[in-house]
Amino acid sequence: MLLCSFKIKEKKKRKTNYIPLNKEIKCQKKGLSYACNNIFEIIKSFCVENEGNYNDIKKQKLFCIKKDSFKTYENDTYYCCSFIIKSGNYGIEADMTNINTNEISHHKSKEEADMKDFTCLIYVPKDIESETKKGIIVFESIGNYGVKVISCDVLTRFFSNINITLEIKSVSPEAFIKKIIDKGNIKNITFITNNISQNIADNILSVSGKEKRTILNPTFPNESIIKLTEWINKKIKNNNMKMSEIVDNRDIEDITLNFRLGERSRTIRLATLDKLSIVEDIPKGFETDEQIIRYMIETADSYKEYLICN
């Protein structure tokens, strides 16, 4: 599953004028002004409006919301809603073959899309501020299939049509990286510099170039973790932060972290943190819609302390 943070503001307003998600929200559509009680009333309207298929011809992908799948959840610490996104790709012919009989059961044409169900969760914490201006969106992934890009496109367009700008970003890179470090999931860390260190190999190399130094199975002292997470937090707010503030080397260009997440390996580049996708695995045994939604809520809940609106 993939996690994002989101905020909303009135179109064409100043950057910092974000709208509380848990209070009345003023909307406007086709010149008609109206108000919704909170963000979930808007999301419910989004679900109803998108029950019919949306065809992204460029990406050759269909999108719709499963009818009557919208549900709400609430306790002392959060508000949530969930719904089912149906999506699938088309444009490629294929013979659908039965794995047991090895017989072709169906020929898939270019006009047929293999529609799958993906759970989506919208999470807004209660107990951080009286006016919560930042929430979390969780998208289910199935193997290599996901719906984040097309869902964000459709959501952004829907909000724009009611005179609201929807901003969707990474939920919390510093929390995610600290989590994988604490769990010991980092397999190697690579330092990339703009010069080549002096050693015997320089006799056969050009005097210019880049150098990579990789440390396998690194152990991070607590002060290094604090320094790294503080740098990441500053980097998100100010993209001009330099790598030399992490390690004392002005020639450092990038640092990459390679780690294991469930069954998959991933690599994070600290130089491009603003593009980082926060991906968490759904453990085996969570198969029903209720189990998946419960785990999504628990995961979103673990990130809520980082949802401070800047």
Side-chain angles (χ1 to χ4, degrees), residues 279-297:
V279 179
E280 297 260 3
D281 272 359
I282 297 176
K284 292 181 180 179
F286 289 79
E287 298 178 354
T288 67
D289 290 344
E290 290 77 13
Q291 290 173 330
I292 291 171
I293 291 169
R294 187 175 72 249
Y295 188 75
M296 284 181 163
I297 293 174

Side-chain angles (χ1 to χ4, degrees), residues 100-162:
N100 297 316
T101 64
N102 207 33
E103 295 180 353
I104 297 173
S105 57
H106 174 68
H107 178 78
K108 178 178 176 289
S109 70
K110 291 182 179 180
E111 290 74 35
E112 291 179 292
D114 51 338
M115 301 292 279
K116 303 174 183 65
D117 287 0
F118 300 86
T119 301
C120 181
L121 179 86
I122 308 291
Y123 173 100
V124 176
K126 278 186 179 181
D127 54 348
I128 293 181
E129 301 170 324
S130 59
E131 292 187 348
T132 306
K133 297 181 180 180
K134 204 171 186 180
I136 294 175
I137 307 177
V138 187
F139 297 103
E140 181 185 8
S141 300
I142 302 174
N144 293 324
Y145 299 97
V147 288
K148 178 200 169 185
V149 175
I150 191 168
S151 299
C152 290
D153 287 346
V154 180
L155 273 164
T156 301
R157 186 168 54 251
F158 174 84
F159 274 85
S160 179
N161 288 338
I162 58 173

Side-chain angles (χ1 to χ4, degrees), residues 67-83:
K67 188 175 182 180
D68 298 327
S69 65
F70 179 86
K71 297 178 181 178
T72 57
Y73 314 86
E74 181 181 353
N75 70 7
D76 293 337
T77 61
Y78 62 74
Y79 304 96
C80 287
C81 74
S82 70
F83 50 92

Side-chain angles (χ1 to χ4, degrees), residues 31-96:
L32 178 65
S33 297
Y34 62 98
C36 292
N37 291 326
N38 51 46
I39 189 67
F40 300 107
E41 191 171 323
I42 296 178
I43 296 298
K44 185 174 183 179
S45 297
F46 165 80
C47 291
V48 172
E49 187 169 308
N50 286 277
E51 288 178 356
N53 280 331
Y54 162 69
N55 185 1
D56 188 328
I57 297 175
K58 186 176 180 180
K59 294 185 177 71
Q60 294 189 309
K61 196 166 189 173
L62 294 182
F63 173 98
C64 70
I65 304 299
K66 186 175 181 179
K67 188 175 182 180
D68 298 327
S69 65
F70 179 86
K71 297 178 181 178
T72 57
Y73 314 86
E74 181 181 353
N75 70 7
D76 293 337
T77 61
Y78 62 74
Y79 304 96
C80 287
C81 74
S82 70
F83 50 92
I84 304 297
I85 297 169
K86 297 182 71 68
S87 184
N89 294 84
Y90 61 90
I92 298 177
E93 291 189 54
D95 288 330
M96 310 305 289

